[in-house]
Amino acid sequence: MDSDILVSRTRTATTAQGATGYLTIDLAALGRNYRKLVSMLAPVRAGAVVKADAYGLGAERVARTLYGEGCRHFFVAQFVEALRLRPTLAHDAQIFVLNGLQPGNELACAEMGIVPVLNSLAQWRQWSAAARIPKRRLPAVLQFDTGMSRLGFPKEERAQLAAALRDGTNVEILFIMSHLASADDMDSEQNGEQFAEMSRIADEFPGFDISFANSGGVFLGDAYHGVLARPGIALYGGAPNAGEKKPMEPVVSLDVSVVQTRTVPAGAKVGYGGAHVTQRETRLATIAAGYADGLPRCLSDRGAVYFKGIRLPIVGRVSMDSATVDITALPDGALTFGSLVEVLGRHQTLEDIARDAGTISYEILTGLGDRYDRQYR
Ligand SMILES: *Cc1c(COP(=O)(O)O)cnc(C)c1O
C-alpha cells in the first residue's frame, strides 16, 4: 500500500511538476493553422506532412487532430513511420511514404494499405512486381524531379516510364507530384523553373492529378497548388517563407527549469573549455537543457532564453544536458532554483532561435528530444 502511494506520487510529480522542461503543443493552434491553409487552398485539398514524428511534435496526436479537421492525406518519409501511424488513423485516411520503399517492404506495405511514392524506375519495377504476383492493383504516387536532384524520376527516365504505362500495369497511380526546392523564397527563380518543368511533365503524363506545393508553395499562389498541397512546417507554426509577416500561429512553447544559480567574480571561466570568461561580477543560472534536448551547441555564447520578457544571454558552451545563462539583468532573487525560463514562446520564436543557431526552424523542432514533459493542449 505504502509503495503504491509512493508510485502514484512519483508519477504525479514527473507529469505535473518537477520536470526539467515543459514542451507545450497547442493542438487547437495546429487545427487553426490547418484551417487557415485549407481556406487559402480551397477547393484544392490540404494534406499534411507528418514525417519525423510530425516534425518532433508527436505524429499520432498531430495526425489525429488533423484528421478531426478533415485532413485525409498524410505524408511520412519512411515506411516505418507509416507502419506506426497506420493503426491510429481510420481507413479513409491515406498514408504516403515520400521516400518510397526499400527493397523487401513491398508485401507489408501492400497488406497495410500504405501508399508508396515511386521515385525512380527501380522503385517502379519493384512495386510493379509486387502488383504482379497476386494479380492485384496496388496504389502508388509518382514523384518527378523538377530540378532538386534529390528524389523523383529524373528526366532521363521519363520516356521509359511513359512506355511502361502505355504497356499497361497493375499499379494504380493516384496522382503525380514534385517538390519545390526554394518555395520559402518567393523571389527565387527556381520556383518558376520548377513550375515550367512540372508543366512539361503534366503534358507528357496527361490525365493525372498533381500535388506540388509544400508550405512555401501554398503562399506562391494558385498556379502552384495542383489538387493536393503538402504543407508541413506551416502547420507547426513555422514561417512558410522569409517574408516579414509571420502568417501562422505558434504551436510549440518550451520552458526549461533552472537547476542552480550563482554569482561569480570578474575573470571566472564558464563552461567547457573555459570558453567564456566573465568581464565583471556576474550572476549565472544553469538551465536543465543542453544539446541533447535540442538546444544546439552552436548557440554557445550566441543565443538567449527569456524570463518575464528579459533577455538572458547564453554564456559559455552549451553542454549535453545543461546550459548557463547570464541573469545579471534581473533583479536579485527574481530567478531561483526551480524557476522556468522561456526557450520558445512569446519572446523567442522558432525563427529567432533558428537564426541564432544558423539553422532553420525544421531542425530546431525535430531536435527537441524526449526528456521534456510534453503537454498537449
Ligand atoms: C518535407 C516535405 C514537405 C513539407 O515541406 P514544408 O516545407 O515543411 O511544408 C512536402 N513535400 C515533400 C516531398 C517533403 O519532403
Side-chain angles (χ1 to χ4, degrees):
M1 261 245 301
D2 280 358
S3 68
D4 279 356
I5 289 167
L6 194 63
V7 167
S8 74
R9 278 213 187 115
T10 312
R11 221 172 264 146
T12 320
T14 52
T15 54
Q17 52 182 289
T20 52
Y22 297 88
L23 185 65
T24 309
I25 295 151
D26 187 342
L27 295 174
L30 170 76
R32 286 191 292 275
N33 283 341
Y34 181 73
R35 289 206 291 277
K36 173 165 184 151
L37 295 173
V38 164
S39 71
M40 286 182 67
L41 286 162
V44 169
R45 300 201 64 176
V49 178
V50 294
K51 61 192 180 191
D53 203 24
Y55 293 39
L57 305 193
E60 236 176 81
R61 302 295 298 261
V62 163
R64 287 214 304 265
T65 300
L66 295 176
Y67 184 90
E69 296 288 346
C71 184
R72 294 294 178 268
H73 301 83
F74 297 87
F75 295 85
V76 294
Q78 301 177 356
F79 181 57
V80 64
E81 300 180 290
L83 278 181
R84 283 186 203 129
L85 194 57
R86 187 64 273 181
T88 72
L89 288 172
H91 281 299
D92 62 340
Q94 281 181 311
I95 303 178
F96 305 91
V97 181
L98 290 167
N99 283 5
L101 303 177
Q102 293 303 115
N105 288 331
E106 300 83 5
L107 287 181
C109 185
E111 235 121 75
M112 295 296 283
I114 291 163
V115 183
V117 173
L118 308 182
N119 292 294
S120 62
L121 280 176
Q123 286 189 339
W124 164 265
R125 289 191 197 105
Q126 163 205 34
W127 195 237
S128 300
R132 214 171 294 132
I133 299 162
K135 272 223 174 307
R136 57 182 159 184
R137 280 179 76 70
L138 288 182
V141 171
L142 302 178
Q143 172 158 230
F144 292 93
D145 177 20
T146 49
M148 192 174 179
S149 312
R150 186 183 71 167
L151 286 166
F153 287 91
K155 199 174 190 157
E156 329 60 277
E157 292 189 349
R158 294 211 302 250
Q160 250 185 291
L161 174 65
L165 291 181
R166 275 194 303 273
D167 289 349
T169 168
N170 270 347
V171 175
E172 180 191 3
I173 294 157
L174 302 183
F175 55 88
I176 65 176
M177 64 172 274
S178 189
H179 188 47
L180 292 159
S182 301
D184 56 325
D185 176 4
M186 298 178 94
D187 299 326
S188 171
E189 282 175 15
Q190 200 177 6
N191 295 322
E193 290 165 8
Q194 288 194 268
F195 178 80
E197 187 65 6
M198 194 67 219
S199 305
R200 282 190 282 276
I201 291 164
D203 291 341
E204 289 170 36
F205 297 85
F208 293 116
D209 286 340
I210 294 172
S211 172
F212 202 22
N214 60 345
S215 298
V218 175
F219 289 80
L220 290 178
D222 291 358
Y224 288 82
H225 292 173
V227 301
L228 172 68
R230 306 183 311 273
I233 194 72
L235 294 169
Y236 311 121
N241 55 50
E244 274 304 304
K245 271 203 252 136
K246 302 274 179 279
M248 310 316 295
E249 219 183 300
V251 172
V252 180
S253 58
L254 173 61
D255 298 291
V256 170
S257 302
V258 171
V259 181
Q260 188 175 3
T261 61
R262 76 180 79 240
T263 303
V264 297
K269 295 187 175 77
V270 182
Y272 278 117
H276 182 95
V277 180
T278 53
Q279 298 298 301
R280 48 170 166 71
E281 183 177 281
T282 304
R283 273 185 295 122
L284 298 172
T286 305
I287 65 168
Y291 56 79
D293 307 290
L295 213 60
R297 188 168 176 278
C298 59
L299 286 179
S300 301
D301 270 324
R302 290 180 58 90
V305 301
Y306 284 79
F307 185 73
K308 298 201 165 124
I310 294 175
R311 186 173 188 277
L312 309 175
I314 294 174
V315 289
R317 291 192 188 148
V318 174
S319 298
M320 184 187 290
D321 319 289
S322 64
T324 306
V325 299
D326 185 338
I327 60 168
T328 313
L330 296 174
D332 204 1
L335 187 95
T336 57
F337 174 47
S339 299
L340 293 174
V341 295
E342 173 192 321
V343 176
L344 287 170
R346 278 187 33 221
H347 303 95
Q348 178 153 265
T349 65
L350 264 176
E351 278 72 30
D352 292 334
I353 196 164
R355 185 200 54 236
D356 285 347
T359 182
I360 53 174
S361 54
Y362 304 64
E363 195 177 20
I364 298 295
L365 282 183
T366 55
L368 286 173
D370 63 0
R371 295 197 285 188
Y372 302 120
D373 177 41
R374 283 173 177 242
Q375 297 175 345
Y376 289 90
R377 272 213 307 251

